[in-house]
Amino acid sequence: CKIEIEGDGLRITPGEIIGVDITTQPFPGFPTDLQAPFMAMLATAKGTSIVTEKIYENRMQHVAELQRMGASIRVQGNTAVIEGVPQLSAAPVVGGDLRAAAAMVLASLSAQGISLVEGLTHLDRGYESLEVKLNSVGAQIFRHSN
């Protein structure tokens, strides 16, 4: 991305997303809390990415939901191999925990069509009014009450 400072804000111009290899580690390494959101981004990156989770077991529950959206991800143990696809497709998905819910929202923003994301009680615990914040920068997110 190209990042420019404009007054008290930033202008971020996206560039091409290229696959990378990530291994979660304790501070100051790559934070496990960003693993699911980064995997959502890497689902459409050019090339192959490898994400290895070294902090928590069972932290890749979001993979099946990303696959429902068309992501090409293979999991072996605590490692996911992601072959970037040109576009994700909208689907009904569930965020099983806080990080997975955030990843589903991010994946839905890049998907073609309208996704329904469930599991927002998890999301709301960590990201207050996330839809308001994302809408303020151009997203189109609508919350439906039950």
Side-chain angles (χ1 to χ4, degrees):
C1 295
K2 180 180 176 184
I3 302 173
E4 301 171 274
I5 298 172
E6 291 188 357
D8 60 351
L10 297 175
R11 175 182 298 274
I12 302 171
T13 306
E16 182 177 50
I17 299 172
I18 299 172
V20 296
D21 296 347
I22 295 170
T23 300
T24 63
Q25 299 176 359
F27 181 82
F30 188 86
T32 186
D33 290 348
L34 291 179
Q35 183 257 104
F38 260 72
M39 196 177 295
M41 177 185 64
L42 294 172
T44 59
K46 184 177 182 179
T48 302
S49 301
I50 299 174
V51 176
T52 304
E53 175 59 56
K54 294 277 191 172
I55 307 298
Y56 294 108
E57 291 183 27
N58 301 319
R59 197 98 198 250
M60 294 202 183
Q61 297 170 348
H62 54 281
V63 168
E65 300 302 300
L66 290 170
Q67 290 170 329
R68 289 179 64 175
M69 299 179 83
S72 176
I73 305 172
R74 294 184 325 272
V75 176
Q76 294 180 322
N78 65 341
T79 299
V81 178
I82 305 150
E83 299 291 339
V85 297
Q87 178 80 56
L88 295 176
S89 299
V93 292
V94 177
D97 62 34
L98 171 62
R99 281 86 186 164
M104 294 307 99
V105 169
L106 295 175
S108 295
L109 288 171
S110 72
Q112 181 71 34
I114 299 172
S115 293
L116 173 64
V117 181
E118 295 187 47
L120 297 182
T121 54
H122 301 293
L123 185 76
D124 291 338
R125 282 197 337 252
Y127 301 101
E128 183 179 349
S129 302
L130 180 64
E131 71 278 8
V132 173
K133 295 169 186 168
L134 291 174
N135 284 342
S136 75
V137 294
Q140 294 181 355
I141 301 173
F142 305 94
R143 185 180 285 253
H144 297 278
S145 60
N146 293 343

